[in-house]
Amino acid sequence: MKIVLFGPPGAGKGTQAKSISNRYSIPHISTGDIFRKNISENTPLGVEAKKYIDKGQLVPDEVTINMVKDRLQEEDCQNGYLLDGFPRTVFQAESLHDFLQERNEVLDTALLIQVPGEFILERMTGRRVCPSCGASYHIKFNPPLEKGKCDVCGSDVIQRKDDSEETVQERLTVYENQTQPLIEFYKKEGLLEVVDGTQAINEVFESICDILGSE
Ligand code: ADP
Ligand code: ADP
Ligand code: ZN
């Protein structure tokens, strides 16, 4: 199964992606997580990506697309994958389409987690993430079992630098201008599915499983 997951920052992509990846046994590929790993390791890719991420802007398409193409050619992607946060521009979506077409492959579903703007700020400023395993928590809506510690791996959770109020506003604008056009793109391809991301976390997951089926 090959799935694209998209939606505004804070829609719950990362949260749902972990559950989808477990349920359907496909790797969770988050471009944001790959960039952050490169930033923490101070690689050339990380140094380049940081310039944009800290400002809430998108990393240039060329850099992002090459990184994803490399990742999709790894062994564990043979039976499918879940792309979280990619594509984020129509150009990225077209590149993914061409990449798949060259291999006689197709996407199964482009899943939009829809959450209106007024929910986003509270979600983002209350978000805490695990720097080791990428798990995402919320101080109010989804706190870790032990305060400040990741449920999965026990590391101290942190607040992302780009989850400040000012950067969140910029990321929302970027979403509206550059990522929302994907809705039309995937509608035309006949792949678009939409879930209501304002439901509780487990309800969103149930809605997603209804769409993806029992494969
Ligand atoms: P994204 O990857 O789309 O940016 P996350 O999965 O990191 O979003 O979720 C953003 C924040 O909102 C996190 O703090 C997360 O715990 C919280 N969250 C995710 N889904 C829900 C939900 N359905 N209801 C309330 N809070 C949620
Ligand atoms: P969120 O979970 O809040 O949607 P991500 O972790 O997916 O955020 O992404 C964090 C940042 O990484 C983005 O604001 C952007 O700067 C960069 N990024 C992630 N994915 C992409 C992409 N497909 N294209 C360009 N930049 C990206
Ligand atoms: Zn963890």
Side-chain angles (χ1 to χ4, degrees):
M1 196 186 289
K2 298 187 184 69
I3 305 167
V4 158
L5 197 59
F6 72 112
K13 300 182 294 296
T15 303
Q16 298 300 331
K18 296 268 176 210
S19 301
I20 298 168
S21 165
N22 286 332
R23 168 78 171 70
Y24 294 94
S25 304
I26 46 175
H28 167 206
I29 300 173
S30 156
T31 40
D33 284 350
I34 302 175
F35 286 134
R36 282 185 289 278
K37 185 162 185 285
N38 276 276
I39 291 171
S40 73
E41 291 168 357
N42 218 6
T43 68
L45 174 68
V47 172
E48 177 67 11
K50 191 177 185 325
K51 295 185 213 158
Y52 301 92
I53 293 178
D54 282 352
K55 288 189 272 189
Q57 292 166 0
L58 294 183
V59 178
D61 279 339
E62 197 192 343
V63 176
T64 307
I65 291 164
N66 286 332
M67 179 180 88
V68 171
K69 282 185 179 170
D70 284 348
R71 180 65 186 90
L72 296 185
Q73 291 177 76
E74 284 179 30
E75 188 69 33
D76 64 336
C77 291
Q78 287 197 351
N79 293 318
Y81 40 79
L82 171 64
L83 281 168
D84 160 11
F86 181 92
R88 257 176 158 97
T89 64
V90 171
F91 187 74
Q92 290 180 11
E94 285 167 345
S95 304
L96 176 63
H97 178 95
D98 294 347
F99 175 86
L100 290 166
Q101 203 163 45
E102 282 162 19
R103 286 165 177 70
N104 287 318
E105 295 174 353
V106 285
L107 272 185
D108 293 277
T109 308
L111 197 64
L112 167 66
I113 305 185
Q114 204 157 40
V115 175
E118 62 264 30
F119 287 77
I120 300 298
L121 191 62
E122 189 182 15
R123 284 204 186 179
M124 303 300 272
T125 50
R127 168 156 72 181
R128 298 294 181 270
V129 296
C130 174
S132 306
C133 74
S136 183
Y137 301 91
H138 192 282
I139 49 173
K140 185 163 138 197
F141 305 129
N142 183 27
L145 295 170
E146 188 187 338
K147 193 166 180 269
K149 301 267 180 215
C150 175
D151 294 350
V152 182
C153 72
S155 305
D156 288 338
V157 299
I158 56 157
Q159 183 161 21
R160 270 168 50 178
K161 195 177 166 195
D162 61 341
D163 281 348
S164 68
E165 183 166 346
E166 196 190 7
T167 314
V168 170
Q169 294 299 354
E170 173 66 15
R171 287 159 72 194
L172 264 177
T173 307
V174 166
Y175 174 77
E176 282 162 14
N177 293 337
Q178 303 196 56
T179 308
Q180 258 183 182
L182 292 183
I183 298 175
E184 275 311 309
F185 180 91
Y186 282 122
K187 220 184 249 174
K188 281 203 191 111
E189 295 227 311
L191 294 175
L192 182 71
E193 297 283 353
V194 184
V195 288
D196 172 7
T198 65
Q199 307 172 89
I201 291 175
N202 63 324
E203 291 169 345
V204 177
F205 184 55
E206 279 171 28
S207 304
I208 291 175
C209 291
D210 286 345
I211 290 167
L212 298 180
S214 57
E215 194 180 318

